[in-house]
Amino acid sequence: MITIPYLTALTTYFSYGLLFAFGQFRDFFRKIFDWWHASNLQGYAPICLGLEDFYIRRLYLRIQDCFGRPISSAPDAWFDVVERYSNDNNKTLKRTSKITSCLNLGSYNYLGFAAADEYCTPRVIDTLNRFSPSTSSTRVDGGTTTVHTELEECVANFVGKPAAIVFGMGYVTNSAILPVLVGKGGLIISDSLNHNSIVNGARGSGATIRVFQHNTPSHLEKVLREQIAEGQPRTHRPWKKIIVIVEGIYSMEGELCKLPEIVAICKKYKAYVYLDEAHSIGAVGKTGRGVCELLGVDPADVDIMMGTFTKSFGSCGGYIAASKEVIQYLKYTCPAHLYATSISPPAAQQIISSIAVILGEDGSSRGAQKLARIRENSNFFRSELQKMGFEVLGDHDSPVMPIMLYNPAKIPAFSRECLRQNVAVVTVAFPATPLLLARARICISASHTKEDLLKALERLEEAVGFDYFQISSENRGML
């Protein structure tokens, strides 16, 4: 976990407290002025009351120009950002016809497949001509094409599982699958920093939820022992099933899961392992097969393998890979399979083609070169950021690099200055992270050249300013 210097925590709390106090002050006078005006609700209750939209009105709107920036090109190493302006203190933003070419350090385009590719793009276009952009149907009606069947076989073979099922949206893959896998009488033990899709899926399942300290196998074992001993709430009956949920690479921390230790503990206590590889599949491992390959874990020891196609494969959607019996059960019961429109055939073909390139089935070594390049780029960029004095989270080989900002005033300042330097970065704060742990998240791609990375380092140094590097090591979190 992150250790925050006392001075950093104090100033961050003070900044949020100041924002909250002034926001409440403005809301007080807003109520007074609104009292003099006739209500236009015509008897309806207001949709947002009091503090329900306070954060959006008084904090988010002030910096919303740092988020949702529209782009007008493919998310390659460089992309075109559309300029915007506001005439009402950032409450609304209007697009202009001007674009700025920016170095892309924010997209999940880990292997560079999101842009045009000499092998993938012609096949995607051919599939578009044959099958159209959408099946306009669910998988169980008229939405299963030969491309979908081929994709599921391809994914199962790639991750090393007997069978797989694919969905049109990665977020839904977690949130819709978990309520089908476990319900009342079951126990979900989740890493404290798991993605929101896992959190929502677990809450919707009706199962009992327990949390263990982030990436701490010893605490996981402690929680497992306690819960097995206590049993279900009130009745103390044995749990119907226990599922431990972890991520391969944690998207906001850039850390690799301690999968070997977690698998060993789950085997010891007969708990199922659910592995979310959204950010690791295709991005790590000698042949891109994710953390199981990187950390030497047999895929057979992971009961449910989940991943998305939006990162390394340059497409959309998600998958679940497991035993044939589990996949068949999901096809009969999962609402995302029964009621949602199937994944677009051209998007499915993009995934099939990108996997072929990764495995060298296109007849070239481009896949191996991409995997080697993302490792080299990630490790080089991480080490250079640390040499420059940035506080960077994450592990070796991870393409996700959070730079800690902490203070809310640093979020818009860093984002806007980077944009001025023609560098596009993603800044993340509460509620996506804990209140004190605002950060900028850098995502490295195989499409970045060495010159791109050197230019990015130079401009990031200019963006943060000289004062950052004069701070003592114990207080380096304060920019």
Side-chain angles (χ1 to χ4, degrees):
M1 302 298 288
I2 304 168
T3 302
I4 310 172
Y6 288 117
L7 181 59
T8 303
L10 181 63
T11 55
T12 303
Y13 273 131
F14 178 78
S15 298
Y16 276 111
L18 200 63
L19 288 168
F20 182 81
F22 272 93
Q24 291 285 8
F25 186 72
R26 294 181 66 184
D27 276 3
F28 174 75
F29 281 98
R30 178 190 181 193
K31 290 179 181 178
I32 293 177
F33 289 125
D34 286 349
W35 183 77
W36 295 98
H37 297 87
S39 173
N40 59 356
L41 294 176
Q42 299 178 353
Y44 288 94
I47 293 178
C48 295
L49 290 171
L51 293 177
E52 289 177 357
D53 65 339
F54 177 84
Y55 184 85
I56 296 173
R57 288 186 291 103
R58 298 306 183 198
L59 280 80
Y60 176 77
L61 288 182
R62 298 176 64 178
I63 61 172
Q64 72 162 326
D65 60 296
C66 299
F67 308 98
R69 289 172 177 150
I71 66 171
S72 59
S73 65
D76 208 355
W78 289 78
F79 62 7
D80 296 330
V81 178
V82 179
E83 295 184 13
R84 296 179 294 176
Y85 70 95
S86 176
N87 292 325
D88 53 6
N89 297 317
N90 234 28
K91 290 182 180 179
T92 59
L93 295 168
K94 297 181 180 180
R95 289 180 301 204
T96 69
S97 58
K98 298 179 181 179
I99 61 171
T100 302
S101 180
C102 293
L103 181 58
N104 181 10
L105 296 181
S107 298
Y108 302 135
N109 185 23
Y110 294 142
L111 294 183
F113 283 118
D117 182 85
E118 60 188 71
Y119 181 84
C120 300
T121 304
R123 286 161 177 76
V124 171
I125 293 173
D126 180 63
T127 303
L128 175 64
N129 293 330
R130 289 175 56 204
F131 292 99
S132 86
S134 174
T135 62
S136 299
S137 181
T138 65
R139 287 291 303 274
V140 295
D141 293 329
T144 298
T145 68
T146 54
V147 182
H148 293 89
T149 305
E150 182 183 356
L151 174 60
E152 290 177 337
E153 293 175 357
C154 180
V155 169
N157 293 332
F158 184 67
V159 302
K161 281 296 195 182
I165 181 173
V166 298
F167 305 94
M169 182 179 177
Y171 187 96
V172 167
T173 306
N174 275 329
S175 59
I177 283 293
L178 286 172
V180 178
L181 288 176
V182 60
K184 188 176 181 180
L187 173 65
I188 293 175
I189 302 181
S190 179
D191 188 288
S192 61
L193 296 183
N194 274 341
H195 190 263
N196 181 262
S197 60
I198 295 174
V199 174
N200 282 343
R203 288 173 177 171
S205 69
T208 300
I209 304 170
R210 294 292 180 266
V211 176
F212 69 95
Q213 292 174 6
H214 171 59
N215 222 8
T216 308
S218 59
H219 190 246
L220 168 63
E221 183 170 16
K222 180 182 178 182
V223 173
L224 267 169
R225 288 172 61 91
E226 291 176 351
Q227 293 303 315
I228 290 173
E230 292 178 6
Q232 297 183 39
R234 293 188 297 276
T235 65
H236 301 292
R237 293 175 180 172
W239 298 102
K240 292 181 179 179
K241 68 182 78 169
I242 300 174
I243 297 181
V244 175
I245 307 178
V246 294
E247 295 186 36
I249 292 179
Y250 291 88
S251 59
M252 287 298 171
E253 287 70 37
E255 293 179 1
L256 294 167
C257 173
K258 295 180 180 177
L259 190 61
E261 296 92 331
I262 289 172
V263 166
I265 291 170
C266 291
K267 278 186 175 182
K268 180 179 178 181
Y269 294 96
K270 302 296 188 290
Y272 293 110
V273 180
Y274 184 109
L275 175 64
D276 179 337
E277 287 212 90
H279 288 266
S280 55
I281 191 67
V284 297
K286 185 177 180 181
T287 59
R289 287 181 165 90
V291 292
C292 287
E293 181 179 49
L294 180 67
L295 302 177
V297 175
D298 187 347
D301 292 333
V302 179
D303 301 284
I304 307 291
M305 300 181 74
M306 176 270 175
T308 62
F309 304 122
T310 54
K311 282 79 176 176
S312 299
F313 307 103
S315 187
C316 62
Y319 69 85
I320 294 289
S323 66
K324 291 182 179 180
E325 293 78 11
V326 170
I327 297 303
Q328 194 67 20
Y329 168 74
L330 294 178
K331 288 183 177 180
Y332 289 142
T333 56
C334 180
H337 181 79
L338 297 172
Y339 304 116
T341 302
S342 60
I343 186 172
S344 169
Q349 182 59 55
Q350 166 68 25
I351 304 160
I352 296 170
S353 301
S354 60
I355 291 177
V357 175
I358 292 171
L359 297 178
E361 295 174 358
D362 64 331
S364 74
S365 60
R366 288 195 307 121
Q369 292 171 5
K370 285 177 177 289
L371 290 167
R373 195 177 305 120
I374 191 173
R375 283 194 297 271
E376 293 169 2
N377 286 353
S378 299
N379 294 331
F380 167 76
F381 203 75
R382 181 183 301 279
S383 64
E384 290 300 310
L385 285 174
Q386 291 169 342
K387 289 177 185 177
M388 291 165 60
F390 287 97
E391 184 176 352
V392 185
L393 304 185
D395 291 325
H396 193 72
D397 284 349
S398 171
V400 182
M401 295 167 211
I403 298 174
M404 299 309 297
L405 299 178
Y406 299 112
N407 198 287
K410 312 301 179 187
I411 301 166
F414 184 80
S415 178
R416 290 164 183 164
E417 183 60 22
C418 283
L419 185 63
R420 195 181 71 81
Q421 299 281 350
N422 291 351
V423 176
V425 299
V426 172
T427 50
V428 190
F430 180 85
T433 66
L435 191 69
L436 293 179
L437 302 181
R439 65 199 67 181
R441 184 178 62 180
I442 305 296
C443 292
I444 298 300
S445 170
S447 61
H448 288 130
T449 64
K450 192 69 171 288
E451 292 73 21
D452 291 336
L453 299 182
L454 290 172
K455 186 174 292 185
L457 291 166
E458 177 185 346
R459 295 184 179 181
L460 285 175
E461 184 176 3
E462 293 177 5
V464 298
F466 181 78
D467 289 342
Y468 184 97
F469 305 101
Q470 299 301 315
I471 300 171
S472 63
S473 58
E474 63 179 357
N475 290 326
R476 188 164 286 155
M478 287 290 294
L479 289 181

